[in-house]
C-alpha cells in the first residue's frame, strides 16, 4: 500500500502560511492576519485528522477485498464465540489442554465434575489440581485407553468416564462424562439378579431334596421322568449357584492376596478332568513354569477348572486334553488345549458373555449353564489377567490365561511342580 512521504505535510503547511501572508499583503497589507487565519485553519485540520487517524488510501479493488476480509473475520469471531458458548453449556466436562497438559480452557460441567476453578486453575497442569486418584495416575500414562467409571474428583458421589482426544497442534481435549445413572442401573440389574437367584436357592434345594427322597423302585413307571426331573433340578441349582458367584465377582473390586500353590492345584485339575472324562480322553499336564500364583485360591480354582471341564465336555471321546503352566515373555500362562469340536471364529469375541453358546443343545446336553466363561473372565479381571482363545472348528481349541509378573511367586519350599 503506497504511503505519503514524511516531508510532504510540513511543506504543505509552510506553503499555505506563505500563501496566507501573500494574500494578506495583497488584501491591504494585513500579512499577520493572513498568516493567523491560515494557521488557525491548519490547526483545525490537523486536530480533526488526529481524531480520525489517517486511513491508508486504497484502490477500490483493495478496499473491496479488505471489506470482504473484515466481514469474514467478524463472522469467524462470532462463530468462535458461539462455539465456545455451546461448549461451555455442554453436559459433558470439556477441558482444553496444551502439549504439557496445562489447562487452557474448561466448561461449566468440567468445573462440576473435576472440581476445576476459574481462573485459578487455568495455565497449570491438570493433574496438579486433582486429588490423588485413579484419574491422576491415568493422566500420567503415555498410551491410554478411556478410563471408565472412576470417581469424579469434583463430586465424590458420582462416577465419570474420561477420554483424551488429540486437538489442533499438540493439544488435547479431555472429555468427562457423568456415568452415575448407568452405574446405578447396572447396580439395580446386579441386585435384581442376585436377589432372584438368592430367592430361588431355597425352593430349589427343597424340590431337589424331595426328588432325591423318592425311590424309583417305588414307582417304576415314573423312573425315567424322575431321572429327568432330578437332572433338571440339579441344573437349575447349578445355574443359581453360578449366578450368585457372578454377582459376587461383579461387586468385588479386589481379591485377597494369598499364595496359590500351583503344583497341588494342577494335580487336582488333572484329577477333576479324569473324573469328568471317565476314561474317554487322554489327559496330560505340562508344568514347567516353576511358579505359584498370588490371588484368591477359591476363585482361581473355579476359573481354571471351568476351562478343564469345558475341554472335556466339548471334546468327543478319544480326544486329548493338555493342561499347561508355562512362563511367558511377560509373566506366565495357564492354558488348556483340546482336540475337540473347536469354535468358528465368528463366535470367539462373544464367548465370555452370559449364556452365550455356540451350540445350545451341545452345551445343555453336556450339563453347561452358559455362565462358565463369564465367571472365568471376571476372576481373571480381578487378578489383572487376560483370557485369550484360539480355536479351529473340527481341530480343537486352546483357552489361555495370561498372568502378569505381579501375580507370580517363586514356589515356597516343599512344593514341587511335577
Ligand atoms: P457352557 O456352560 O455352555 O459350557 P461356557 O460359558 O463355559 O458355558 O462356554 C460358553 C460356550 O463356549 C459353550 O456353550 C461352548 O459353545 C463354547 N466353548 C467353551 N469351551 C469350549 C471348548 N473347549 N471347545 C469348544 N467350545 C467351547
Amino acid at each position: 500500500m503506497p504511503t505519503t512521504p514524511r516531508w510532504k505535510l510540513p511543506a504543505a503547511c509552510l506553503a499555505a502560511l506563505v500563501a496566507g501572508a501573500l494574500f494578506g499583503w495583497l488584501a491591504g497589507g494585513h500579512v499577520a492576519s493572513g498568516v493567523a487565519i491560515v494557521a488557525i485553519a491548519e490547526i483545525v485540520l490537523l486536530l480533526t485528522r488526529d481524531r480520525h487517524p489517517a486511513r491508508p488510501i486504497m484502490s477500490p479493488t483493495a478496499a473491496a477485498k479488505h471489506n470482504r476480509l473484515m466481514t469474514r473475520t467478524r463472522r469467524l469471531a462470532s462463530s468462535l464465540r458461539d462455539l465456545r458458548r455451546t461448549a461451555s453449556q455442554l453436559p459433558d466436562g470439556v477441558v482444553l489442554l496444551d502439549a504439557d497438559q496445562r489447562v487452557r480452557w474448561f466448561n461449566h460441567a468440567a468445573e462440576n465434575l473435576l472440581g476445576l476453578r476459574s481462573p485459578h486453575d487455568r495455565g497449570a497442569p491438570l493433574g496438579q489440581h486433582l486429588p490423588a486418584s485413579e484419574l491422576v495416575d491415568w493422566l500420567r500414562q503415555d498410551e491410554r485407553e478411556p478410563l471408565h467409571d472412576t470417581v469424579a474428583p469434583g463430586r465424590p458421589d458420582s462416577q465419570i468416564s474420561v477420554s483424551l482426544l488429540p486437538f489442533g497442534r499438540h493439544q488435547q481435549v479431555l472429555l468427562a462424562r457423568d456415568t452415575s445413572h448407568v452405574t446405578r442401573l447396572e447396580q439395580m440389574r446386579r441386585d435384581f439378579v442376585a436377589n432372584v437367584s438368592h430367592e430361588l436357592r431355597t425352593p430349589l434345594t427343597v424340590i431337589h431334596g424331595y426328588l432325591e427322597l423318592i425311590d424309583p423302585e417305588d414307582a417304576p413307571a415314573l423312573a425315567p421322568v424322575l431321572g429327568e426331573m432330578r437332572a433338571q433340578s440339579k441344573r437349575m441349582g447349578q445355574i443359581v449357584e453360578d449366578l450368585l458367584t457372578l454377582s459376587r465377582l461383579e461387586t468385588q473390586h479386589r481379591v485377597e492376596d494369598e499364595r496359590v500353590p500351583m503344583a497341588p492345584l494342577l494335580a487336582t485339575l488333572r484329577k477333576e478332568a479324569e473324573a469328568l472324562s471317565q476314561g474317554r480322553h487322554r489327559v496330560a499336564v505340562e508344568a514347567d513354569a516353576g511358579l505359584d500364583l498370588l490371588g484368591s485360591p477359591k476363585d482361581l480354582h473355579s476359573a481354571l477348572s471351568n476351562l478343564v471341564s469345558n475341554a472335556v465336555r466339548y471334546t468327543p471321546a478319544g480326544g486329548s486334553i493338555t493342561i499347561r503352566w508355562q512362563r511367558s515373555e511377560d509373566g506366565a500362562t495357564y492354558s488348556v488345549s483340546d482336540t475337540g469340536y473347536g469354535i468358528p471364529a465368528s463366535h470367539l469375541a462373544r464367548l465370555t458373555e452370559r449364556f452365550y453358546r455356540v451350540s445350545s443343545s451341545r452345551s445343555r446336553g453336556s450339563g453347561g449353564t452358559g455362565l462358565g466363561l463369564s465367571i472365568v473372565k471376571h476372576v481373571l479381571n480381578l487378578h489383572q489377567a487376560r483370557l485369550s482363545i484360539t480355536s479351529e472348528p473340527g481341530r480343537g481349541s486352546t483357552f489361555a490365561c495370561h498372568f502378569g509378573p505381579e501375580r507370580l511367586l517363586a514356589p515356597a519350599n516343599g512344593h514341587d511342580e511335577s
Side-chain angles (χ1 to χ4, degrees), residues 197-357:
S197 311
H198 199 77
E199 292 299 324
L200 283 176
R201 199 186 215 172
T202 314
L204 272 174
T205 314
V206 172
I207 292 170
H208 193 70
Y210 280 125
L211 285 174
E212 288 294 324
L213 279 180
I214 301 172
D215 188 346
E217 284 182 9
D218 293 343
L222 287 180
V225 180
L226 200 62
E228 182 61 15
M229 283 164 80
R230 278 181 186 166
Q232 291 301 334
S233 80
K234 196 171 162 209
R235 210 170 86 81
M236 276 167 76
Q238 192 53 54
I239 291 176
V240 165
E241 288 310 316
D242 281 1
L243 281 172
L244 285 169
T245 305
L246 262 178
S247 295
R248 176 179 62 79
L249 292 170
E250 273 184 334
T251 43
Q252 221 171 306
H253 294 294
R254 54 184 300 278
V255 283
E256 290 303 317
D257 286 342
E258 278 180 52
R259 175 184 287 277
V260 183
M262 282 306 278
L265 178 55
L266 290 166
T268 308
L269 292 170
R270 171 190 227 144
K271 274 191 208 135
E272 286 174 0
E274 284 167 349
L276 195 62
S277 158
Q278 297 192 318
R280 287 175 297 129
H281 308 92
R282 283 182 304 281
V283 180
V285 175
E286 293 174 13
D288 49 25
L291 293 165
D292 284 345
L293 275 172
L294 184 66
S296 155
K298 187 169 149 249
D299 291 337
L300 283 171
H301 178 200
S302 150
L304 305 190
S305 88
N306 238 309
L307 298 182
V308 172
S309 126
N310 279 354
V312 175
R313 290 190 296 118
Y314 297 110
T315 300
S320 55
I321 288 144
T322 311
I323 303 169
R324 295 189 181 85
W325 175 232
Q326 291 166 322
R327 285 180 194 246
S328 61
E329 254 176 43
D330 51 353
T333 301
Y334 165 88
S335 66
V336 181
S337 302
D338 62 57
T339 56
Y341 304 117
I343 306 158
S346 57
H347 293 279
L348 292 182
R350 300 193 57 190
L351 282 188
T352 55
E353 287 175 21
R354 286 157 197 239
F355 299 115
Y356 189 87
R357 290 150 166 143

